[in-house]
């Protein structure tokens, strides 16, 4: 019911939200929870395990019950706390974990089966028959228990990720946080103030007290204005959820429309002013809709002008229960107080409120909502009618973020709760109710002190302290109240996980009485609320069961996130096409205009083939391109190969150390094939090295390994040989490099470059400077295809122009572009190893390159390359495979002797690369076969159980084409 | 014979206004990386002029790493003048550069970056090697109050432009 006046809502505007299809009126300033309560909706959810009817239990982030689905279709978000979700026009909400209806839920049968669903039931109840677990029991349990469901569709409003840097991060904008931010800002710090709520003020918003002579909410707004004038970044709707290394804090901001932004906040100091969370009391039936925290009831009355009930029992052992009863009475509602303390400890009852001293609540009634409350005292028991039971067992400081670096809270009997220990995250201090400072005055003082201390720690100039605003400073009168005698199977300590006092006792009886064991065995403190209301109560039940004090029982600690963070917020816009960058070669646009099909090669988009005329399938294009290179001339953009510029007096020595073969003997003007090993002796990468000058080299890497090789070389330079004077820098993006390959390639080259590129002027494995249409470039005479070939390099901005120039100059030579597929066919025909062969499992010896390992110098990987396992003559070695007959060959197939069993013991190797070879006129492959070099002419069977292929192959030399290398030297 | 016509790195000409922000391509100009050999920085600076300190920037040079600068100038000429003193590598085509200016430019970049361009150490000239929208990148300001320059390896150009444009639009309220 909405009260006729009061509250921090804008009554001038009314709009509708929908809950399970019902229209619910709301005002700006409402949460979903306040609007539902105002509309008389008490039943809003079903519990996780027992499907018990549940209502709104709190008024903030700690809510364990009122989880709803928000939005529809692809914008649906499950498990949203109704108590923090702002109401906005048109918002559609749906209850969760029920079928078919919230009020008539078939899953409620689980409540009847509660005796079977005690602590750890899934560890011991569903043991037989064994085969039933995966197919019957587990699906059944998963179906019956749970929270909301994801839509399964992509959210059309992807989250953002942003970064903010500050001197001081203040977490929480209650009285302590506001003062900390103000003092920090006044000292000149760059301050970020993050508050999960959409209003600043914290607990002040829920009370009717004044600060500095004005209502608390008004004072908070005044401070906000001052903070903004001082340049403080005030971030409302922003929950700091995690404390990470080096002053990095994770924060989730929800825009007014719900859109998420994940903030990475770098802070030199932080003040945790997260307040405190009220604790429930464990008594039988403490989970019915209508049972609520006393402070929450007060918040609904004062902040949202909502009566959470008409007839209330307020239960507790301290001031909070009394203040709630007073607020109810002030709103014209009926309230009685059940106070566990003896009458001698109590003053007179508030006006209009009946007081039952020395009385506890021992039970409740009401199927879908509270109807009656049972009061018990020395005088006996009685049932009283009530639709609201507001209970307060005391308050627990919000210590969660103080634990994120493994800090462990300690029990403070004076506070009546766990408070942060001394092992806080570096740079963090804690202020206000989060330390157990309960009065508003204490919170203001604590916050101001923390802000000033942070400023002093950062060397800022801190002026004289100003007088604090006048505020409530009454000593708190309360006795922590945890369990009512007799609480058992119907007394919940953790509402979200349906953990009862009986479960805790059972866990202890079964040997899981340590706090960490208790958590895992019962699930106490897990799920979306992470035990905000339930954890300490559960520990109290454990302490009682084990007969130890709270301090001796101890507590588990908290880890990120403090509040649920959708995985999509971590993902941000990293999805679909934006998931990762697509790198484009310099001739990309040129290739796209010529019907190139592109393939991902590492992060690059490379042309895999070009469709010409009426070619109907990729094989048509690839066969044509491969044959073209063998017979005429083709051009292929190979700019994606990594290029690393190596310079310095020790450049040659450095490369000798990095490569297995000698590089220092390379003459200026020449290139050399190089093999790089990992430290464990396996092959890491290969490529060519060109010596551009005495102290200047250009290293080429494979496309996929370019980044890894650069990192590795930097590690060697900085970490292993810092004594050498050598510099490295990537030049990959600087150059457009085009392979010109085929018997007519020299003719074509002579037409586009001004310099002499004859065999005498530019022999095989040579390079030289050239000019192409007035543009300075380089040409390298190297070949991956096995044909006479060159790689022509010009600055990248001329990549498309170079392709066009080569095409125009070679029209009569039959020139055409070829892609990576044809490149693959050509290199397999030639027996050149590529990524499939350099897969991290092969050695130089396996590849037939063992002689490249220099005996004249040290190099990385040398020691381990000679270990026994890597020099075993039984190791599979590179061979060529030629299909016998018409069968198909698969990369990844394993090799067996004909007729041998398909077992690991009989496995003799594998197929690494396959291609249809136009030059051979059949299917060929490269593979690794045990003692391969000795087995030329043998027949082996390639077995591919995935595709159901068994293919007989002849073992041949891997050099199918031009084994003597006459063509490439031509 | 076909002319050797240069192409920009972004696949399109970029010069647009997004709310109060202006996003434009930085025209191609010759730049080279300069890495002094050990103990030769003083001699190098005698040729290039003073080079900015780590994380710093000047009108003519950006500090990209310890002992590594991106310097305005023709690589071949710089190499000749710095022979034996520094490694010089042409990077004129290696990087693609955008200029972003106007109120909110820093906030727009904070949507992509893992650092805060609004922090005080970014108010004056600075150069930061970083990652923007998963691209290796440089964010720099050559003069106090000047525009932000955003650089990425050329091959990332089109993708990078898309990311920066989305961030600028988001900041501009589009």
């Amino acid at each position: 019911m909405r009260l006729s006046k009061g509250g921090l809502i804008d009554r001038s505007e009314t709009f509708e939200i929908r809950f399970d299809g019902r229209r619910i009126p709301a005002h700006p300033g409402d949460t979903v929870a306040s609007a539902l309560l105002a509309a008389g909706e008490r039943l809003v959810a079903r519990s996780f395990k027992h499907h018990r009817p549940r209502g709104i239990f709190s008024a903030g982030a700690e809510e364990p019950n009122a989880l709803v689905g928000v939005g529809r279709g692809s914008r649906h978000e499950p498990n949203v706390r109704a108590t923090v979700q702002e109401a906005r026009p048109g918002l559609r909400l749906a209850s969760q974990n029920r079928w078919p209806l919230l009020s008539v839920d078939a899953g409620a049968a689980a409540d009847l089966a509660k005796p079977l669903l005690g602590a750890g039931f899934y560890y011991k109840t569903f043991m037989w028959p064994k085969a039933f677990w995966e197919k019957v029991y587990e699906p059944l349990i998963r179906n019956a228990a749970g929270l909301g469901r994801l839509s399964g569709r992509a959210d059309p409003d992807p989250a953002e990720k942003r970064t903010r840097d500050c001197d001081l991060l203040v977490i929480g904008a209650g009285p302590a946080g506001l003062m900390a931010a103000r003092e920090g800002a006044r000292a000149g710090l760059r301050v970020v103030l993050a508050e999960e709520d959409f209003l600043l003020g914290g607990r002040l918003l829920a009370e009717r007290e004044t600060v500095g002579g004005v209502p608390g909410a008004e004072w908070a707004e005044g401070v906000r204005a001052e903070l903004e004038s001082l340049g403080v970044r005030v971030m409302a709707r922003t929950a700091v959820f995690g404390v990470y290394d080096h002053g990095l804090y994770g924060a989730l901001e929800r825009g007014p429309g719900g859109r998420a932004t994940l903030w990475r906040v770098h802070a030199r100091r932080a003040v945790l002013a997260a307040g405190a969370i009220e604790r429930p009391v464990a008594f039988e039936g403490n989970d019915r809709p209508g049972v609520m925290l006393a402070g929450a009831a007060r918040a609904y009355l004062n902040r949202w002008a909502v009566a959470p009930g008409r007839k209330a029992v307020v239960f507790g052992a301290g001031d909070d229960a009394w203040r709630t009863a007073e607020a109810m009475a002030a709103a014209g509602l009926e309230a009685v107080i059940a106070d566990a303390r003896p009458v001698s400890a109590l003053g007179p009852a508030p006006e209009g409120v009946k007081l039952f001293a020395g009385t506890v609540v021992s039970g409740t009634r009401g199927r879908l909502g509270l109807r009656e409350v049972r009061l018990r005292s020395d005088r006996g028991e009685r049932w009283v009618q009530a639709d609201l039971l507001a209970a307060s067992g005391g308050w627990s400081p919000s210590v969660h973020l103080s634990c994120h670096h493994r800090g462990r809270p300690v029990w403070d009997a004076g506070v009546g709760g766990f408070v942060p220990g001394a092992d806080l995250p570096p740079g963090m201090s804690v202020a206000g109710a989060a330390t157990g400072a309960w009065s508003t005055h204490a919170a203001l003082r604590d916050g101001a002190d923390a802000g000033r201390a942070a400023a002093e720690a950062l060397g800022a100039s801190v002026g004289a302290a100003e007088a604090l605003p006048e505020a409530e400073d009454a000593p708190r009168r309360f006795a922590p109240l945890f369990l009512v005698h007799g609480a058992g199977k119907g007394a919940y300590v953790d509402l979200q996980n349906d953990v009862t006092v009986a479960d805790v006792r059972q866990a202890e009886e079964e040997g899981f009485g340590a706090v960490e064991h208790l958590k895992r065995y019962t699930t106490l403190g897990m799920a979306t609320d992470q035990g905000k209301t339930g954890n300490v109560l559960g520990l109290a039940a454990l302490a009682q069961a084990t007969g130890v004090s709270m301090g001796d029982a101890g507590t588990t600690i908290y880890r990120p996130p403090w509040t649920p963070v959708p995985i999509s917020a971590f993902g941000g816009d990293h999805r679909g096409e934006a998931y990762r960058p697509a790198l484009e070669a310099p001739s990309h646009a040129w290739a796209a205009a010529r019907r190139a099909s592109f393939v991902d090669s590492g992060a690059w988009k490379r042309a895999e083939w070009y469709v010409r005329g009426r070619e109907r399938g990729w094989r048509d294009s690839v066969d044509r391109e491969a044959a073209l290179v063998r017979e005429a001339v083709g051009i292929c953009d190979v700019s994606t190969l990594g290029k690393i510029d190596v310079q310095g007096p020790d450049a040659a020595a450095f490369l000798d150390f990095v490569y297995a073969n000698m590089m220092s003997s390379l003459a200026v003007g020449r290139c050399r094939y190089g093999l790089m090993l990992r430290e464990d002796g396996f092959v890491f990468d290969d490529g060519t090295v060109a010596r551009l000058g005495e102290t200047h080299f250009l290293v080429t890497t494979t496309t996929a390994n370019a980044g890894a090789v650069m990192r590795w070389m930097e590690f060697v330079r900085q970490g292993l040989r810092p004594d050498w004077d050598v510099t490295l820098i990537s030049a990959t993006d600087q150059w457009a490099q085009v392979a010109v390959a085929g018997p007519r390639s020299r003719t074509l080259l002579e037409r586009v470059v001004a310099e002499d590129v004859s065999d005498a002027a530019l022999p095989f494995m040579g390079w030289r400077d050239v000019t192409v249409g007035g543009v300075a470039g380089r040409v390298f005479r190297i070949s991956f295809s096995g044909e006479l070939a060159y790689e022509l390099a010009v600055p990248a901005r001329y990549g498309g122009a170079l392709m066009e120039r080569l095409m125009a100059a070679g029209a009569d030579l039959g020139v055409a572009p070829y892609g990576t597929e044809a490149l693959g066919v050509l290199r397999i025909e030639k027996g050149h190893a590529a990524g499939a062969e350099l897969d991290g499992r092969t050695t130089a010896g396996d590849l037939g390159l063992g002689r490249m390992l220099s005996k004249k110098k040290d190099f990385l990987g040398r020691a381990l390359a000679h270990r026994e396992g890597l020099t075993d003559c039984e190791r599979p070695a590179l061979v060529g495979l030629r299909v016998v007959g018409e069968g198909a060959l698969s990369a990844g197939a394993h090799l067996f002797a004909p007729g041998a069993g398909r077992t690991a013991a009989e496995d003799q190797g594998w197929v690494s690369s396959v291609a249809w070879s136009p030059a051979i006129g059949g299917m060929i492959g490269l593979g690794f076969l045990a003692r391969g070099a000795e087995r030329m002419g043998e027949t082996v069977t390639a077995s591919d159980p995935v595709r159901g292929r068994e293919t007989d192959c002849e073992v041949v030399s891997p050099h199918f084409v031009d084994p003597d290398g006459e063509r490439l030297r031509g | 014979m076909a002319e050797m016509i240069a192409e920009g790195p972004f696949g399109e000409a970029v010069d647009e206004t997004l709310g109060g922000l202006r996003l434009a391509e930085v025209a191609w100009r010759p730049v080279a990386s300069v890495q002094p050999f050990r103990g030769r920085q003083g001699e190098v600076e005698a040729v290039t002029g003073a080079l900015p300190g780590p994380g710093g920037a000047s009108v003519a040079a950006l500090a990209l790493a310890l002992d590594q600068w991106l310097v305005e100038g023709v690589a071949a000429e710089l190499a000749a003048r710095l022979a034996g003193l520094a490694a010089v590598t042409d990077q004129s085509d290696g990087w693609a550069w955008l200029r972003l200016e106007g109120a909110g430019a820093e906030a727009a970049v904070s949507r992509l970056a893992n650092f805060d361009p609004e922090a005080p150490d970014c108010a004056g000239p600075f150069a930061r090697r970083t990652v923007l929208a998963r691209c290796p990148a440089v964010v720099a300001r050559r003069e106090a109050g000047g525009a932000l320059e955003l650089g990425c390896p050329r091959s990332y150009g089109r993708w990078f432009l898309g990311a920066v444009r989305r961030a600028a639009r988001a900041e501009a309220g589009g």
Side-chain angles (χ1 to χ4, degrees):
Chain A
M1 179 182 74
R2 185 78 73 178
L3 302 177
S4 60
K5 59 182 181 180
L8 302 173
I9 51 171
D10 179 4
R11 292 174 192 263
S12 67
E13 187 183 337
T14 303
F15 54 83
E16 282 184 347
I17 61 176
R18 289 193 180 201
F19 177 62
D20 280 349
R22 295 191 292 283
R23 297 170 188 274
I24 309 290
H27 301 293
D30 263 326
T31 62
V32 165
S34 67
L36 289 174
L37 283 171
E41 296 279 351
R42 304 173 73 199
L43 173 65
V44 296
R46 288 279 174 170
S47 71
F48 177 73
K49 193 163 77 174
H50 300 150
H51 283 246
R52 298 266 299 174
R54 293 284 168 81
I56 291 159
F57 190 69
S58 75
E62 66 271 30
E63 177 62 30
N65 280 346
L67 305 184
V68 296
V70 174
R72 296 199 304 174
S74 55
R75 287 190 166 87
H76 172 77
E77 182 176 351
N79 308 330
V80 174
R81 292 156 296 174
T83 49
V84 298
Q85 172 66 50
E86 258 176 285
R88 59 175 188 268
L91 195 65
R92 289 171 180 266
L93 308 141
S95 55
Q96 304 184 152
N97 199 32
R98 85 296 189 267
W99 185 86
L101 299 170
L102 186 57
S103 55
V104 185
D105 174 26
D111 198 26
L112 302 174
K114 220 158 71 172
L116 297 174
L117 305 177
F121 74 95
Y122 36 81
Y123 296 130
K124 55 199 177 190
T125 307
F126 300 98
M127 302 296 285
W128 303 279
K130 192 177 170 185
F132 270 38
W133 173 249
E134 201 173 319
K135 293 194 168 62
V136 180
Y137 296 144
E138 188 182 348
L140 198 68
I141 293 168
R142 286 195 183 280
N143 221 25
L147 301 168
R149 293 181 190 277
L150 294 168
S151 73
R153 287 185 261 171
D155 187 343
D157 307 316
E160 282 196 296
K161 286 202 225 182
R162 301 186 67 173
T163 305
R164 185 152 281 169
D165 185 88
C166 64
D167 297 320
L168 175 62
L169 170 64
V170 179
I171 303 162
L178 288 168
M179 289 300 285
R182 186 164 81 174
E183 291 300 313
R186 284 179 174 177
L189 301 186
R190 292 175 303 115
V191 179
V192 168
L193 173 61
E195 168 55 52
E196 188 165 8
D197 202 339
F198 52 91
L199 294 179
L200 307 193
R203 193 66 211 162
L204 295 174
L205 303 172
E207 307 293 356
R208 296 200 292 179
E209 62 189 75
T210 60
V211 178
V214 299
E218 192 177 318
W219 175 81
E221 270 308 297
V223 176
R224 177 188 190 129
E226 182 185 350
L227 294 178
E228 289 178 340
S229 73
L230 290 168
V232 173
R233 291 189 174 276
V234 178
M235 300 174 70
R237 301 183 178 89
T238 304
V240 175
F241 62 78
V243 187
Y244 302 96
D245 290 340
H246 310 302
L248 177 65
Y249 292 77
L252 180 72
E253 180 184 17
R254 291 287 194 170
R259 188 171 184 188
T261 300
L262 189 82
W263 285 93
R264 292 165 291 210
V265 182
H266 297 272
R268 298 166 71 197
R269 303 284 301 184
V271 173
L272 176 62
I277 295 170
E278 196 168 23
R279 284 194 300 266
V281 183
F283 52 84
E284 292 292 303
N286 65 347
D287 68 323
R288 295 185 199 284
V291 179
M292 179 180 286
L293 294 169
R298 223 156 54 236
Y300 288 112
L301 287 162
N302 294 331
R303 177 173 173 179
W304 289 288
V306 168
R310 294 169 187 272
K311 196 168 183 178
V313 171
V314 185
F315 174 40
D319 293 345
D320 276 284
W322 287 53
R323 292 165 84 176
T324 301
E326 287 168 352
M328 290 288 291
L333 304 165
E334 200 176 318
V336 300
I337 298 174
D339 196 312
R341 293 171 294 181
V343 67
S344 58
L346 306 176
E351 191 177 338
V353 176
K354 190 169 183 181
L355 171 64
F356 293 92
T359 300
V360 296
V361 172
S362 60
T364 62
R365 286 179 183 154
R367 194 174 72 83
L368 296 178
L370 183 70
R371 196 161 37 83
E372 287 181 293
V373 176
R374 184 171 63 199
L375 304 181
R376 188 177 69 209
S377 68
D378 292 344
R379 297 178 297 280
E381 290 185 343
R382 59 185 294 179
W383 287 95
V384 297
Q385 288 194 332
D387 60 359
L388 172 68
L389 171 51
S392 178
W395 291 75
S396 297
S398 288
V399 299
H400 305 69
L401 291 168
S402 75
C403 301
H404 285 187
H405 283 211
R406 304 291 299 167
R408 191 165 288 276
V410 293
W411 180 257
D412 185 325
V415 169
F418 286 96
V419 298
D423 44 4
L424 295 170
M428 177 186 278
S429 60
V430 188
T435 66
W438 296 132
S439 77
T440 304
H441 173 81
L444 293 167
R445 183 196 61 224
D446 227 16
D449 289 348
R452 294 166 66 82
E456 284 174 356
L458 294 173
S461 170
V462 180
E466 283 187 16
L468 294 172
E470 189 183 337
E472 168 273 325
D473 194 24
R476 278 286 190 275
R477 294 173 304 153
F478 75 99
L481 180 59
F482 295 109
L483 281 70
V484 170
H485 181 69
K489 290 177 182 173
Y492 287 83
V493 293
D494 183 336
L495 289 163
Q496 189 161 94
N497 284 295
D498 281 345
V499 180
T500 65
V501 172
D503 290 328
V504 175
R505 287 183 187 139
Q506 184 186 338
E508 194 276 330
E509 287 165 6
E510 293 181 358
F512 297 94
V515 289
E516 298 289 351
H517 292 159
L518 176 71
K519 176 175 180 173
R520 274 83 192 171
Y521 199 58
T522 63
T523 68
L524 172 71
M526 295 186 181
T528 68
D529 75 338
Q530 289 286 290
K532 289 186 179 66
T533 57
N535 205 43
V536 176
L537 190 54
L539 297 173
L542 176 67
Q544 189 191 66
T546 54
V548 302
S549 69
M550 287 292 284
D552 289 338
T555 178
T556 53
I557 61 174
Y558 303 91
R559 57 191 169 194
W562 146 260
T563 198
V565 182
I567 290 173
S568 60
F570 287 107
D573 68 346
H574 301 193
R575 61 187 202 179
E577 289 188 355
Y579 180 67
R580 64 174 186 172
L583 280 63
E584 294 180 354
S587 67
H588 185 91
W590 183 91
R594 278 153 192 81
R595 300 172 68 193
S597 170
F598 291 96
V599 63
D600 289 338
S601 176
W604 293 86
K605 296 285 181 194
R606 297 191 71 183
E608 53 183 347
W609 60 77
Y610 295 78
V611 179
R612 176 178 275 193
R614 294 186 178 179
E615 288 170 345
R616 284 178 294 183
W618 67 273
R619 271 283 308 280
D620 291 350
S621 305
V622 173
D623 287 357
R624 172 183 53 75
E625 291 172 7
L628 174 84
V629 174
R630 292 275 178 244
E631 293 160 12
V633 58
I635 57 176
C636 178
D637 191 336
V638 293
S639 311
T640 59
L641 296 170
K643 293 175 273 294
I644 301 170
D645 203 49
V646 183
Q647 299 191 51
D650 296 316
F654 176 82
L655 292 178
D656 274 348
F657 190 52
V658 168
Y659 280 100
N661 51 324
M662 189 77 85
M663 290 298 170
S664 55
S665 59
L666 185 64
V668 175
R670 301 289 295 167
C671 309
R672 183 170 289 166
Y673 176 71
L675 201 62
M676 205 177 278
L677 306 189
R678 299 188 314 222
E679 284 181 300
D680 62 7
F682 287 96
V683 173
F684 175 30
D685 200 60
D686 70 346
T688 56
V689 176
R691 191 163 198 167
L692 306 184
E694 276 304 318
T695 59
H696 191 179
F697 295 80
L698 183 66
V699 165
T700 305
T701 75
T702 57
T703 296
N705 261 351
V709 171
M710 183 73 193
R711 281 194 298 276
W712 172 237
M713 288 172 66
E714 270 296 354
F715 170 72
V716 175
R717 187 181 79 94
Q718 296 182 35
L720 302 184
R721 295 311 303 252
D723 52 319
W724 281 342
D725 192 1
V726 61
T727 66
L728 307 173
I729 197 160
S730 171
T732 303
D733 282 77
Q734 168 65 22
W735 297 97
Q737 195 147 313
V738 176
V740 183
R744 297 175 191 164
S745 58
R746 184 181 294 134
T747 307
L748 174 56
L749 199 63
E750 285 169 343
R751 295 180 184 178
V752 296
V753 303
E755 291 74 11
D756 182 3
V757 290
S758 65
D759 189 50
L762 184 59
F764 180 58
M765 296 306 277
W767 74 270
R768 66 167 300 165
D769 289 322
V770 291
T771 50
V772 184
V775 174
R778 293 182 189 130
V779 62
F780 305 84
R781 188 172 162 191
I782 51 182
S783 175
F784 194 48
S785 59
E787 294 298 323
L788 173 66
Y790 303 83
E791 291 188 8
L792 181 56
V794 295
R797 66 187 188 280
Y798 296 111
L802 177 61
M803 295 294 272
E804 195 59 44
R805 192 175 181 89
L806 287 163
M807 288 293 289
D812 61 316
L813 303 175
V815 68
Y818 64 100
T820 55
E821 277 297 318
L823 195 64
V825 171
L826 295 164
R827 72 96 187 166
I828 292 170
E829 288 176 343
K830 182 61 184 171
H832 281 161
E837 285 73 40
L838 310 180
D839 64 355
R841 298 181 296 169
T842 53
T843 67
D846 299 343
L847 293 161
L849 302 173
R851 284 184 299 178
M852 287 182 71
L853 306 188
S854 175
K855 294 183 174 64
K856 298 177 183 171
K857 65 178 181 76
D858 191 17
F859 59 87
L860 287 164
R862 182 184 183 194
L864 292 181
H866 293 102
R867 59 188 151 129
E868 191 177 349
L870 270 60
T871 52
D872 184 352
C873 62
E874 292 291 322
R875 285 184 64 84
L878 185 69
V879 296
L881 298 164
R882 195 171 187 163
V883 171
V884 177
E886 296 296 318
L889 190 58
S890 310
H894 277 241
L895 299 174
F896 297 89
R902 299 299 184 254
T903 65
E906 299 289 342
D907 192 343
Q908 297 191 356
W910 67 94
V911 180
S912 52
S913 304
V914 298
W916 169 265
S917 167
I920 302 299
M923 195 137 198
I924 61 171
L926 298 177
F928 292 85
L929 180 66
R931 293 180 292 100
E934 304 166 18
R935 300 174 62 180
M936 296 298 142
E938 280 188 28
T939 297
V940 293
T941 302
S943 176
D944 177 4
V946 176
R947 297 175 184 83
R949 289 177 183 163
E950 298 284 325
T951 309
D952 286 343
C953 303
E954 181 188 356
V955 180
V956 297
S957 159
H959 311 296
F960 293 91
V961 170
D962 190 25
D964 298 327
E966 291 173 2
R967 294 169 73 102
L968 55 81
R969 289 184 175 81
Chain B
M1 193 80 70
E3 291 289 316
M4 293 292 279
I5 298 170
E7 291 175 63
F10 299 110
E12 61 180 291
V14 185
D15 190 354
E16 57 205 47
T17 302
L18 303 160
L21 295 172
R22 183 177 172 222
L23 178 65
E25 179 180 352
V26 177
W28 182 92
R29 79 278 199 207
V31 292
S33 59
V34 173
Q35 302 178 86
F37 296 135
R38 205 153 289 171
R40 313 306 287 266
Q41 186 173 336
E43 295 165 82
V44 170
E45 288 186 298
V47 174
T48 61
L51 293 168
S58 68
V59 172
L62 306 177
L64 296 188
L66 284 175
D67 304 328
Q68 188 184 98
W69 287 266
L70 198 61
V71 176
E72 305 269 330
V74 177
E77 293 171 7
L78 279 168
R81 295 168 66 198
L82 295 173
L85 302 177
V88 176
T89 306
D90 193 356
Q91 299 284 357
S92 311
D93 286 50
W95 290 83
W97 292 95
L98 292 167
R99 177 177 286 119
L100 185 65
E101 56 193 322
E106 291 79 10
V109 175
S110 83
R111 292 169 183 267
L112 303 170
N114 56 8
F115 74 100
D116 184 358
E118 296 179 86
D121 57 346
C122 298
F126 77 96
R128 187 75 66 97
R129 280 293 277 271
T130 184
V131 172
L132 288 189
R134 299 171 299 293
C135 294
V138 173
V139 179
R141 193 195 308 277
R142 291 179 185 269
E143 296 175 283
L148 288 176
E149 288 187 20
L150 315 175
C152 70
R154 181 188 171 97
S155 53
Y156 288 81
R158 279 210 314 153
W159 202 89
F160 187 69
L161 171 63
V164 173
R165 191 179 263 157
R166 280 196 299 276
R169 278 187 184 144
E171 191 57 34

